[in-house]
């Protein structure tokens, strides 16, 4: 069963897409109407999200994909 851990702002308007990094340490959220990307750190053990400072402006972000190196 799933348990709600928290409610957190997406950091913009109209969250559209999200992606986890390959390590499962971060989540990136795209916000369509505010045209920005916001990055969250995922707390190990609890799964809670902490928003990292700053954001990236991206014109109408629709779909996200991360490249692993």
């Amino acid at each position: 069963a799933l348990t709600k851990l928290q409610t957190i702002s997406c950091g913009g308007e109209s969250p559209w897409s999200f992606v986890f990094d390959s390590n499962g340490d971060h989540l990136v959220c795209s916000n369509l109407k505010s045209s920005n990307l916001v990055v969250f750190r995922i707390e190990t053990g609890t799964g809670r999200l902490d928003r990292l400072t700053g954001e990236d402006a991206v014109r109408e972000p629709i779909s996200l994909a991360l490249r692993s190196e």
Side-chain angles (χ1 to χ4, degrees):
L2 297 176
T3 303
K4 181 177 177 178
L5 296 176
Q6 73 185 112
T7 300
I8 189 168
S9 171
C10 63
E13 188 179 347
S14 295
W16 195 262
S17 182
F18 65 90
V19 66
F20 296 94
D21 72 351
S22 60
N23 296 326
D25 296 328
H26 296 89
L27 176 136
V28 180
C29 178
S30 69
N31 297 297
L32 185 62
K33 286 188 178 179
S34 54
S35 295
N36 68 335
L37 301 177
V38 178
V39 180
F40 298 88
R41 183 177 64 84
I42 303 169
E43 291 183 18
T44 304
T46 68
R48 294 180 65 83
L49 300 176
D50 291 316
R51 181 178 172 179
L52 300 181
T53 58
E55 61 186 58
D56 291 313
V58 178
R59 185 175 172 190
E60 299 177 355
I62 296 187
S63 182
L64 295 175
L66 296 178
R67 179 180 63 186
S68 60
E69 296 187 36

